[in-house]
Amino acid sequence: MSQTHRKPIRNLAAASALPYLPFMAVLPILIHPDPRLKAKCETVTDFGADLTAFAENMLDTMYDAPGIGLAAPQVGLLKRVLVMDCAGKDAEPAPMVLVNPKIISASDEKSTYNEGCLSIPEQFDDIERPAEVTVTYQDVYGDEFTQDFAGLWATCIQHEIDHLDGKLFIDYLSRMKRGMITRKMEKLKRERAGGVA
């Protein structure tokens, strides 16, 4: 998620923060339209060093973009992994890695944020979602957690879980708006590939 207005939240699970790895890498981010962005991701069953390293690379990629959330399919891996950090600009970083996240409850109260997406650069629109959600997830070691999210954190985690289910924020928009944005992204991809705009 590329929304830039950040609102801090307290009491994040410290177990989700990974130890520093000295050899991190920035991964290429897929741009819409790409069939991998519309695929439903598989449950993670292997909790080992490869998952830890991949999660670190996702965080590095998210911060480099810069963004506040990133899901595994956005970097080409169709597994249920996401990273996020919605701490305020001047706050201490609060990186989270959530594996196999699942929303188990959502508030009736709604909130609207002007959302963007690292896979749909420079495109933003107001999206309404539940203001608070409760999520179960695992960390990179397979330990299980249940946590409540509110404000921007709730919006971000819903946005990223949508990615794991093959859904983009533009899917909440009208067919006309989706078509316009998709055509812009197709043009952008041609330009980046050196083709005719």
Side-chain angles (χ1 to χ4, degrees):
M1 186 170 165
S2 64
Q3 214 269 7
T4 55
H5 297 87
R6 302 178 180 186
K7 180 179 177 183
I9 192 171
R10 306 269 180 220
N11 302 322
L12 292 178
S16 295
L18 298 175
Y20 173 73
L21 295 178
F23 302 106
M24 295 191 294
V26 174
L27 306 170
I29 297 174
L30 301 180
I31 301 299
H32 167 74
D34 186 297
R36 288 167 288 184
L37 294 173
K38 300 302 291 181
K40 187 162 184 176
C41 294
E42 298 176 355
T43 299
V44 173
T45 56
D46 184 6
F47 295 86
D50 287 347
L51 177 61
T52 300
F54 176 69
E56 282 285 5
N57 289 339
M58 284 185 66
L59 282 168
D60 201 38
T61 302
M62 179 190 75
Y63 287 128
D64 180 75
I68 60 172
L70 184 70
Q74 292 180 271
V75 291
L77 183 68
L78 300 182
K79 294 289 186 179
R80 299 190 75 81
V81 182
L82 66 85
V83 298
M84 56 190 269
D85 184 351
C86 300
K89 184 178 179 181
D90 299 320
E92 283 292 312
M96 294 194 73
V97 177
L98 296 93
V99 182
N100 300 325
K102 182 178 181 182
I103 296 170
I104 57 172
S105 68
S107 66
D108 292 331
E109 180 187 355
K110 306 292 184 183
S111 64
T112 300
Y113 277 89
N114 190 244
E115 294 187 26
C117 181
L118 297 177
S119 290
I120 311 175
E122 305 303 322
Q123 304 299 312
F124 300 90
D125 214 307
D126 290 340
I127 305 296
E128 183 182 76
R129 299 181 187 270
E132 299 181 13
V133 291
T134 302
V135 177
T136 61
Y137 65 94
Q138 293 167 279
D139 64 12
V140 292
Y141 310 109
D143 295 326
E144 298 181 357
F145 299 87
T146 300
Q147 188 164 335
D148 297 327
F149 295 89
L152 181 56
W153 288 90
T155 293
C156 186
I157 198 167
Q158 291 173 82
H159 177 112
E160 301 307 333
I161 289 175
D162 273 355
H163 272 298
L164 304 182
D165 294 326
K167 188 170 186 176
L168 304 174
F169 86 92
I170 61 171
D171 292 333
Y172 292 95
L173 305 179
S174 69
R175 184 174 179 179
M176 181 180 295
K177 277 190 175 181
R178 286 198 310 274
M180 289 174 59
I181 291 172
T182 297
R183 288 189 292 275
K184 287 180 182 178
M185 294 301 99
E186 289 169 339
K187 179 180 178 182
L188 175 65
K189 290 173 77 171
R190 290 194 301 270
E191 289 171 348
R192 289 186 177 183
V196 178

